[in-house]
Amino acid sequence: MTTDDDARTRLDAERADLEARLADAERAEDDVRGARSDADADDEHDPEGSTLSQQWSHTHGLVVSLRERLTENAAAVARLDDGTYGVCVRCGGPVGEERLAARPSAALCIVCASR
Ligand SMILES: [Zn+2]
């Protein structure tokens, strides 16, 4: 069984990693946003337009998913404080040691997550 200290260390590490990736993704999003407004100013029918839209949906999707992961991470820290960390929020069963090692902020056991 994972000790709370191990879990907290993993969650801290995960949060630091997510924050670094989010900062990169937000920078990339800003770049694409800047490039898009330049392209709009130049020519509405710029062939680059669709490529920039694709880049936008990619970078924006990444920012959104990283923010969601950070929210899950904060929720996992709250469960740790509550003493319910490692307990599946849906079925109340154990989330599982291997799963928590791979994804420290997992809220669901593998059975519930794959439903
Ligand atoms: Zn479950």
Side-chain angles (χ1 to χ4, degrees):
M1 198 52 205
T2 314
T3 68
D4 283 2
D5 283 350
D6 284 347
R8 210 172 281 275
T9 303
R10 279 181 197 158
L11 286 167
D12 280 350
E14 188 190 51
R15 194 189 60 233
D17 178 57
L18 289 171
E19 282 174 347
R21 285 162 61 196
L22 179 61
D24 283 350
E26 284 176 337
R27 208 172 303 126
E29 192 187 42
D30 278 350
D31 287 350
V32 177
R33 188 186 286 126
R36 268 181 112 188
S37 51
D38 287 350
D40 285 351
D42 286 348
D43 183 0
E44 275 183 48
H45 305 290
D46 193 321
E48 294 288 305
S50 68
T51 313
L52 285 171
S53 294
Q54 284 165 12
Q55 280 181 25
W56 170 257
S57 57
H58 175 76
T59 54
H60 186 65
L62 191 60
V63 166
V64 168
S65 78
L66 287 169
R67 283 188 185 142
E68 282 170 3
R69 298 267 322 259
L70 278 167
T71 304
E72 288 171 14
N73 180 277
V77 172
R79 287 197 301 279
L80 200 55
D81 292 337
D82 283 354
T84 58
Y85 180 76
V87 177
C88 175
V89 298
R90 188 168 297 166
C91 72
V95 173
E97 178 62 22
E98 277 180 37
R99 187 164 157 72
L100 288 173
R103 186 154 180 170
S105 52
L108 298 173
C109 70
I110 194 74
V111 176
C112 291
S114 57
R115 244 173 228 161

